[in-house]
Amino acid sequence: MISTLTQLPPQALTPEFVTRFEPTSFMFWLEMFGIFACSVSGTILAKHKNFDAFGCILVAMIAAISGPTARDIILNRYPLFWMVNMNYLLIITITSVGFQMFCNPKARHVDGLLKLFDGLALAIFTLIGIQVAQEMGANIPVCILLGVLNILFGTVIRDMLCNEIPLVLQRELYITPAIIGGILYFVLQVMDIPSWITQSLTMLTIFSIRMLAVQHDWYFPDISLIKKASL
Amino acid sequence: MISTLTQLPPQALTPEFVTRFEPTSFMFWLEMFGIFACSVSGTILAKHKNFDAFGCILVAMIAAISGPTARDIILNRYPLFWMVNMNYLLIITITSVGFQMFCNPKARHVDGLLKLFDGLALAIFTLIGIQVAQEMGANIPVCILLGVLNILFGTVIRDMLCNEIPLVLQRELYITPAIIGGILYFVLQVMDIPSWITQSLTMLTIFSIRMLAVQHDWYFPDISLIKKASL
Amino acid sequence: MISTLTQLPPQALTPEFVTRFEPTSFMFWLEMFGIFACSVSGTILAKHKNFDAFGCILVAMIAAISGPTARDIILNRYPLFWMVNMNYLLIITITSVGFQMFCNPKARHVDGLLKLFDGLALAIFTLIGIQVAQEMGANIPVCILLGVLNILFGTVIRDMLCNEIPLVLQRELYITPAIIGGILYFVLQVMDIPSWITQSLTMLTIFSIRMLAVQHDWYFPDISLIKKASL
């Protein structure tokens, strides 16, 4: 299409629509659904803030790919997935435009929807972050940290761009379910449980704890042993 | 000058005042002017917020080089341009100090100046971002995204550091002109237009749309098809 | 422990408890103390904002390792130190949990403690940032810039996450002591002063200026030559 593209250097990032995971696999559909969930929550929030169409798409992209991008930069894992595989940007754009056209984010169900999609993204992205870090040879604490970062980074930047109080600042459990899920993942792996059960249980645990925390206003107990003493 | 500098590892980042572009070329002067424009807008904003002299220089540096730095980290393009070529930090420092000494940013023309220099930087940095991404072999959507990122990243961080509402949050078109310019760039390239015309037209388009948007309060039409329905 | 860890790729990041610096060296204890100081200040701030236990640990990690991480990404220095050496995450976690359990950050001495630990971290991290950049072959201005970035990046992100006005925005000298210390470091190096004296003097200078600035409300003089003229 463009003449200069024929003189590309050998490390050329040729566009591919081939996916990292087997297209028929569980993880493939899961990752795409995670990207979809992040795009929806990003678009909802950006529309609430009266961003224009391109602004909403940009916030959706930031919500969906900046966490995994930070993870890959930290792991020195190049080229970045969204540069070689156009599925990601495509799904985000279509999701964001479609949501802007056919949904009305001023409706009263929006806050619940936002929490729901954030919970889904939390479960999926934490699991994928852990697995990618493990593939790259990281040890267990780093894997769990990168699992948390994989979802947290995009969510925090999205919230700051939209001038919202970051989710992580709010009272309900958000990091805790991800860490519990991460520990469970490694416990199940040591017990030689089949990987699809490990993955499903990890996500289910993270999602359930997060949703229950939102529903019942669960928060982490204060671990301070001193109440009134001066420092 | 310093004895330890003689035992440098082979991958040493030796300081050079040689530029990436031919010093007599159009693109060389353009890039330096873009860096100058970003430094001016960064310094104006930082002075408004009563940062001290070093704080203003730091904000100018963040405004001018953090976007291209993010672009290069994403593209895995090392060493970073401002580490091997001292022109960048030098121009930013001189611009920022000179502006602090000889200009009074409390004057009433400042807001207009800020918008003007932001518009110039938007046009120049978007073009350079697209060209660098294309050189590295990225495909068209990624090139346009990195063009936008090239200017947006620094501007957003600058605004957040200065506790300002990010430009991208404001109502007037900001991302839209960059995307229109990016699409125009690739259309002109397919049509085999000489590169200097392509570059000039791209920048002129971005700058004009942005300035007209600021002047006439243009904004992107709402693409929602549903107005009152509940989600 | 985990079966999949045996099929690691050759670039595997095997966990090590070996440190970069000799365990008996001055720099080793210094770096660990810097990490400790950052963790304390991060934990204090996060607890003030009523983050839960995991939130406090996360803010402590961000305060302590995101600056050096940004420095290493900019220098293309992989693998990241905290991924191969578990001492860092361990010290941060223990410090943060211990501080949460045994200290009461609501006490009136807290603000002073925060400034004290921030000053210690400023002195130590600036020195380490300069030394790492110099080891990688960067030139003097880049070394000083990376020294400043080494502490500033984590502090700014910590403050933004906690919805605080960034330290850098506040009136007292913060960047200035780091830059003065950086210049002193290179002057002493040219004069062939033994390295431990150079290091100690650099840190002492940065810490003293910062503490005096906080105490006596020092600020940088306005360098503007124009007072009332219109731009």
Side-chain angles (χ1 to χ4, degrees):
Chain A
M1 192 173 175
I2 290 164
S3 55
T4 54
L5 279 178
T6 54
Q7 300 117 23
L8 285 181
Q11 70 272 35
L13 309 162
T14 41
E16 289 172 41
F17 284 80
V18 187
T19 50
R20 252 190 318 145
F21 300 113
E22 290 297 306
T24 50
S25 76
F26 180 52
M27 286 306 289
F28 166 73
W29 291 107
L30 200 70
E31 186 175 40
M32 290 302 146
F33 186 70
I35 294 285
F36 167 78
C38 268
S39 309
V40 169
S41 69
T43 304
I44 291 177
L45 202 60
K47 259 215 118 174
H48 252 292
K49 297 286 169 175
N50 292 319
F51 280 41
D52 64 18
F54 284 121
C56 288
I57 296 173
L58 194 82
V59 172
M61 284 184 182
I62 286 167
I65 65 176
S66 66
T69 298
R71 176 202 69 200
D72 284 357
I73 289 174
I74 284 174
L75 287 166
N76 202 12
R77 187 166 172 270
Y78 286 99
L80 296 180
F81 61 100
W82 52 269
M83 296 187 66
V84 286
N85 184 334
M86 286 295 100
N87 279 328
Y88 297 93
L89 297 185
L90 197 70
I91 285 179
I92 297 167
T93 308
I94 291 173
T95 304
S96 181
V97 170
F99 206 85
Q100 288 180 63
M101 288 173 75
F102 299 113
C103 293
N104 179 10
K106 299 252 153 111
R108 70 201 165 85
H109 298 300
V110 161
D111 198 55
L113 261 182
L114 197 60
K115 291 260 159 101
L116 176 70
F117 280 105
D118 269 339
L120 287 168
L122 179 68
I124 296 170
F125 273 62
T126 304
L127 175 65
I128 292 176
I130 290 173
Q131 289 191 317
V132 169
Q134 202 182 16
E135 264 170 41
M136 297 294 287
N139 53 45
I140 295 175
V142 171
C143 283
I144 294 177
L145 186 61
L146 287 178
V148 173
L149 184 86
N150 201 32
I151 180 62
L152 201 81
F153 192 85
T155 312
V156 166
I157 292 188
R158 179 200 72 185
D159 288 347
M160 294 208 303
L161 252 182
C162 295
N163 253 350
E164 279 286 306
I165 301 168
L167 269 182
V168 72
L169 262 168
Q170 292 167 22
R171 201 159 166 268
E172 299 121 359
L173 299 181
Y174 185 80
I175 308 172
T176 313
I179 289 173
I180 295 174
I183 293 168
L184 180 73
Y185 176 83
F186 286 102
V187 168
L188 293 176
Q189 223 175 37
V190 171
M191 292 164 63
D192 259 329
I193 308 285
S195 69
W196 72 271
I197 299 181
T198 303
Q199 292 163 3
S200 309
L201 272 180
T202 303
M203 286 189 297
L204 197 67
T205 307
I206 298 173
F207 181 69
S208 314
I209 300 178
R210 171 66 185 160
M211 283 296 110
L212 286 167
V214 168
Q215 203 79 35
H216 301 291
D217 194 29
W218 284 357
Y219 56 93
F220 202 83
D222 192 2
I223 63 169
S224 173
L225 300 179
I226 298 170
K227 288 300 171 196
K228 296 259 179 194
S230 79
L231 194 59
Chain B
M1 191 173 176
I2 289 162
S3 55
T4 53
L5 279 177
T6 55
Q7 300 118 21
L8 285 180
Q11 70 273 33
L13 309 163
T14 42
E16 290 172 40
F17 284 80
V18 187
T19 50
R20 244 184 330 138
F21 299 116
E22 292 297 306
T24 51
S25 76
F26 179 55
M27 285 306 290
F28 166 71
W29 291 107
L30 199 70
E31 187 176 37
M32 290 302 148
F33 186 71
I35 294 284
F36 167 78
C38 266
S39 308
V40 170
S41 69
T43 304
I44 291 177
L45 201 60
K47 259 215 118 176
H48 253 291
K49 297 286 168 174
N50 292 321
F51 280 42
D52 64 19
F54 284 121
C56 287
I57 296 173
L58 194 83
V59 173
M61 283 184 182
I62 286 167
I65 64 175
S66 66
T69 299
R71 174 203 70 200
D72 284 358
I73 289 173
I74 284 173
L75 287 166
N76 202 11
R77 189 167 171 269
Y78 286 100
L80 296 181
F81 60 100
W82 52 269
M83 296 189 65
V84 285
N85 183 332
M86 286 293 101
N87 279 326
Y88 296 95
L89 297 185
L90 197 70
I91 286 179
I92 297 167
T93 307
I94 292 173
T95 304
S96 182
V97 170
F99 205 86
Q100 288 180 63
M101 289 174 75
F102 300 112
C103 293
N104 179 6
K106 298 253 152 107
R108 68 202 168 84
H109 299 301
V110 160
D111 197 57
L113 262 181
L114 197 60
K115 291 260 159 102
L116 176 71
F117 280 105
D118 269 340
L120 287 168
L122 178 69
I124 295 171
F125 273 62
T126 304
L127 176 64
I128 292 175
I130 290 173
Q131 287 191 318
V132 169
Q134 202 182 16
E135 265 169 41
M136 297 294 286
N139 54 46
I140 296 176
V142 170
C143 283
I144 294 177
L145 186 62
L146 286 178
V148 172
L149 183 87
N150 200 32
I151 180 64
L152 200 81
F153 193 84
T155 312
V156 166
I157 293 187
R158 180 199 73 185
D159 289 347
M160 295 208 300
L161 252 182
C162 295
N163 252 350
E164 279 286 305
I165 301 169
L167 268 181
V168 72
L169 260 168
Q170 292 168 20
R171 202 159 166 267
E172 300 122 359
L173 299 181
Y174 185 80
I175 308 171
T176 314
I179 290 173
I180 294 174
I183 294 169
L184 180 72
Y185 176 83
F186 286 103
V187 168
L188 293 177
Q189 221 175 40
V190 171
M191 292 165 63
D192 260 330
I193 307 285
S195 70
W196 71 270
I197 298 181
T198 303
Q199 292 164 1
S200 309
L201 272 180
T202 302
M203 286 190 296
L204 197 69
T205 306
I206 298 173
F207 181 69
S208 313
I209 299 178
R210 172 64 186 160
M211 284 296 109
L212 286 167
V214 168
Q215 203 78 36
H216 301 292
D217 194 29
W218 285 357
Y219 55 93
F220 202 84
D222 191 1
I223 63 168
S224 172
L225 301 178
I226 298 169
K227 289 300 168 193
K228 297 260 179 194
S230 79
L231 194 59
Chain C
M1 190 174 174
I2 288 161
S3 55
T4 53
L5 278 177
T6 56
Q7 300 116 25
L8 284 181
Q11 70 272 34
L13 309 162
T14 42
E16 290 171 40
F17 283 81
V18 187
T19 50
R20 249 189 319 141
F21 300 115
E22 292 297 305
T24 51
S25 76
F26 179 54
M27 286 306 291
F28 166 72
W29 291 107
L30 199 71
E31 186 175 37
M32 289 303 147
F33 186 71
I35 294 284
F36 167 76
C38 266
S39 308
V40 170
S41 70
T43 304
I44 292 177
L45 201 61
K47 257 214 120 175
H48 253 292
K49 298 285 167 175
N50 292 319
F51 280 42
D52 64 19
F54 284 121
C56 288
I57 297 173
L58 194 81
V59 172
M61 285 186 180
I62 285 167
I65 64 175
S66 66
T69 299
R71 175 202 70 200
D72 284 359
I73 289 174
I74 283 174
L75 287 166
N76 203 12
R77 190 166 171 269
Y78 286 99
L80 296 180
F81 61 100
W82 51 269
M83 296 187 67
V84 286
N85 183 333
M86 287 292 103
N87 279 327
Y88 297 93
L89 297 185
L90 197 69
I91 286 180
I92 297 168
T93 307
I94 292 173
T95 305
S96 181
V97 171
F99 205 86
Q100 289 179 63
M101 288 174 75
F102 299 113
C103 294
N104 178 8
K106 298 253 153 106
R108 69 201 165 86
H109 300 300
V110 161
D111 197 55
L113 261 182
L114 197 59
K115 290 259 158 102
L116 176 71
F117 280 106
D118 269 339
L120 288 168
L122 179 68
I124 295 171
F125 273 62
T126 304
L127 176 65
I128 291 176
I130 290 172
Q131 289 191 318
V132 169
Q134 202 181 15
E135 264 170 41
M136 297 293 288
N139 53 46
I140 295 177
V142 171
C143 283
I144 295 177
L145 187 61
L146 287 177
V148 173
L149 184 86
N150 200 31
I151 179 62
L152 200 81
F153 192 84
T155 312
V156 166
I157 293 188
R158 179 200 73 184
D159 289 346
M160 294 208 303
L161 252 182
C162 295
N163 251 351
E164 279 286 305
I165 300 169
L167 269 184
V168 73
L169 261 167
Q170 292 168 21
R171 201 159 165 268
E172 301 121 359
L173 298 181
Y174 185 80
I175 308 172
T176 313
I179 289 174
I180 294 173
I183 293 169
L184 180 72
Y185 176 84
F186 286 103
V187 169
L188 293 176
Q189 221 175 39
V190 171
M191 292 164 64
D192 258 330
I193 307 286
S195 70
W196 71 271
I197 299 182
T198 303
Q199 292 164 2
S200 308
L201 272 180
T202 302
M203 284 189 298
L204 198 68
T205 307
I206 298 173
F207 181 67
S208 313
I209 300 178
R210 171 66 186 160
M211 283 297 109
L212 286 168
V214 168
Q215 204 78 36
H216 301 291
D217 195 27
W218 285 357
Y219 56 93
F220 202 83
D222 192 0
I223 63 169
S224 173
L225 301 178
I226 299 170
K227 288 300 171 195
K228 295 261 178 195
S230 79
L231 194 62

